[in-house]
Amino acid sequence: MTDTPDPDAVAPAVDSLDTIVSLSKRRGFIFPSSEIYGGINAVWDYGPLGVELKNNVKRAWWRAMVQERTDIVGLDAGILMHPQVWITSGHVGSFSDPLVECGSCQRRYRLDELPGAESLSATELRETGIVERLGLVCPNDGGPLSPPRRFNLMFTTHMGPVEDDGSVVYFRPETAQGSYVNFKNVQQSSRKKIPFGIAQIGKSFRNEISPGNFVFRMREFEQMEMQYFVRPGEAAATAFEEWLPRRRAWYEHYGVAPQRLRFREHAPDELAHYAQKAIDVEYRFPFGWKELEGIHNRGDFDLGSHARASGENLEYFDPATEERFVPWVVETAAGADRAAFTFLIDAYREEEVRGEKRVVLGMHPELAPYKVAVLPLLKKRPEIVALCHRLRDDLARDVMAVYDDTAAIGKLYRRQDEIGTPWCVTVDVESLEDGAVTVRDRDTMAQERVPLEGVKWLILDRLSVARG
Ligand code: ATP
């Protein structure tokens, strides 16, 4: 099931990824990690604005998935877990991608990302003679490529002072396993009845073969995953269908244009070993339609496997029907970095205003790094500056508010537009007399005069309306 058949029929929000990469660097959203040492591939650092954006994305997800629901509770499990977890989950045996290597330049590629191999089926990707059959060569120097071999994506380290085989532990490649092994702890302590969910946000690590496209594919990243425990069979299928529109609507609510979202169902031979059914929410990135979030019906694979391997009884007892069963799991697996990246791309606009280019991040106010900027019309008047600081300090008790006086007012507005600040408050000479200030709206650029004491309530009220 792909509900938008032609991938080129929908244009991306920006033509070139470079626009977003350079804005991110220039304005302090995202920097390459360890840049002064030449960087480290596929790790990115969030600057002053980026950390606000990503925190806001995580908060928005948590609100929708935990705070506003009565049937989902949170968890924050460790990144390092008992190594048996990853054997039982199947990650040690099969969490791998097909890797091919160039015989002349030694570059390595993920087979399904090579030009000419993007639409191969999962069965074809395992075929030893596939490189030869398709005549694939190295995109870098045209050299010969090796047959594909499976490359495990988990990072390992050693726990304790002895670095031998017995001390190997894995950096988690997903947060989900923490929810499965804590199923009983959470269910019993929270007294939740099925259906109920466990939500987690946290770092995951994957030794991706070909990371890239900025923060789209990283080796260290953050996930926002929810495991919904349900009755087996029909109930799981129904829950799966219910989560699909809900998750897609979340992206739309926070500003993603509906035409740049679609569902894509995994083909039977593409399904992960645990999955009964899987549908991705995809977004039209500047580099094509790609996964934003995976929604999976995982059957009883997770609790069933952990129960067998650990010897713990992970059955649920339903007091209403007096039945015991191993719950099935419906999972919604999203990436915090990928979501923040998507909101950033989709909010980007270039407009012409009075013959000048205006760059605006038309972000949902809840996601914007700063909610409000307080700006003096004349920075040489100490009373104006003092009033600005008093106002900013008061606003900052409730929202992220920033003061800026490093340019003329027109330029200050443009700077705030470019980082998505929904409201600017300007204090001028008249403010000293009439106790009113000008509030400017990012999107309409409309200005209104508001009494000082009403500014905070106006902003909190508009934020609340936008939250919906
Ligand atoms: P892909 O097919 O792109 O490798 P996946 O199907 O393995 O992804 P999942 O295991 O379903 O991805 O992970 C859930 C979510 O976590 C993804 O939808 C994505 O948003 C995020 N994610 C996964 N891998 C990465 C990564 N390397 N960098 C950033 N985010 C990631």
Side-chain angles (χ1 to χ4, degrees), residues 95 97 110 153 173-174 206 208 215-223 225 266 274 280 291-294 296 331 333-339:
F95 188 58
D97 278 335
R110 199 169 129 174
L153 302 183
E174 61 174 33
R206 296 182 187 182
E208 300 279 2
V215 293
F216 177 79
R217 194 177 297 289
M218 305 151 86
R219 292 196 169 119
E220 175 180 340
F221 56 98
E222 243 174 316
Q223 290 188 305
E225 297 194 301
H266 287 211
Y274 53 76
D280 292 340
E291 173 178 339
L292 201 48
E293 168 158 352
H296 312 124
E331 171 188 57
D337 309 272
R338 219 174 263 187

Side-chain angles (χ1 to χ4, degrees), residues 45-356:
D45 296 343
Y46 286 79
L49 298 184
V51 64
E52 297 299 335
L53 168 63
K54 194 156 84 146
N55 281 344
N56 292 340
V57 168
K58 291 189 283 185
R59 242 178 253 131
W61 186 88
W62 198 263
R63 173 179 302 118
M65 301 299 279
V66 180
Q67 187 180 321
E68 292 181 350
R69 298 191 64 98
T70 53
D71 57 348
I72 303 180
V73 288
L75 179 73
D76 183 13
I79 286 170
L80 302 176
M81 303 180 77
H82 193 294
Q84 181 61 42
V85 169
W86 304 107
I87 299 170
T88 306
S89 68
H91 284 81
V92 170
S94 61
F95 188 58
S96 55
D97 278 335
L99 175 139
V100 294
E101 188 170 347
C102 173
S104 64
C105 73
Q106 267 71 52
R107 287 198 190 193
R108 293 168 159 199
Y109 304 94
R110 199 169 129 174
L111 175 59
D112 55 334
E113 287 180 352
L114 278 180
E118 297 103 330
S119 50
L120 291 181
S121 70
T123 315
E124 288 170 314
L125 289 171
R126 277 184 222 108
E127 219 181 283
T128 39
I130 188 74
V131 169
E132 225 166 52
R133 179 158 76 80
L134 297 181
L136 299 172
V137 289
C138 174
N140 180 45
D141 65 356
L145 292 172
S146 68
R149 71 179 167 86
R150 302 305 299 184
F151 175 78
N152 194 293
L153 302 183
M154 279 198 296
F155 281 101
T156 58
T157 188
H158 294 270
M159 193 161 238
V162 185
E163 289 200 8
D164 61 13
D165 286 352
S167 66
V168 168
V169 289
Y170 302 95
F171 280 65
R172 70 176 175 201
E174 61 174 33
T175 63
Q177 298 302 321
S179 298
Y180 305 140
V181 299
N182 277 297
F183 167 73
K184 227 173 159 175
N185 285 335
V186 173
Q187 193 270 323
Q188 289 178 353
S189 59
S190 64
R191 298 173 169 275
K192 287 287 170 208
K193 291 202 174 69
I194 271 176
F196 81 95
I198 303 180
Q200 275 201 84
I201 297 180
K203 287 265 171 143
S204 292
F205 301 82
R206 296 182 187 182
N207 196 5
E208 300 279 2
I209 298 167
S210 45
N213 286 326
F214 199 34
V215 293
F216 177 79
R217 194 177 297 289
M218 305 151 86
R219 292 196 169 119
E220 175 180 340
F221 56 98
E222 243 174 316
Q223 290 188 305
M224 309 187 289
E225 297 194 301
M226 192 280 297
Q227 315 302 316
Y228 203 62
F229 300 93
V230 290
R231 294 180 70 87
E234 203 46 46
T238 307
F240 178 85
E241 296 301 328
E242 285 168 1
W243 277 106
L244 289 172
R246 216 178 270 151
R247 290 305 307 149
R248 181 173 172 157
W250 183 78
Y251 293 99
E252 289 178 15
H253 178 73
Y254 285 102
V256 179
Q259 73 272 17
R260 282 191 283 273
L261 290 169
R262 73 176 187 188
F263 288 127
R264 189 185 71 83
E265 181 162 3
H266 287 211
D269 71 346
E270 187 193 352
L271 283 176
H273 58 279
Y274 53 76
Q276 305 256 335
K277 190 167 180 178
I279 292 182
D280 292 340
V281 180
E282 290 193 334
Y283 174 68
R284 174 66 164 104
F285 285 95
F287 41 90
W289 285 99
K290 300 278 175 197
E291 173 178 339
L292 201 48
E293 168 158 352
I295 297 159
H296 312 124
N297 179 348
R298 304 175 59 118
D300 68 353
F301 176 82
D302 305 291
L303 293 186
S305 308
H306 283 304
R308 278 190 296 280
S310 66
E312 277 284 324
N313 181 358
L314 298 180
E315 282 177 331
Y316 172 80
F317 175 69
D318 187 336
T321 60
E322 303 209 322
E323 286 169 284
R324 279 181 197 285
F325 56 86
V326 174
W328 283 27
V329 171
V330 171
E331 171 188 57
T332 67
D337 309 272
R338 219 174 263 187
F341 184 35
T342 300
F343 292 125
L344 193 60
I345 296 173
D346 220 72
Y348 186 90
R349 294 201 302 266
E350 285 178 11
E351 297 172 353
E352 180 134 335
V353 178
R354 288 185 287 279
E356 267 184 49

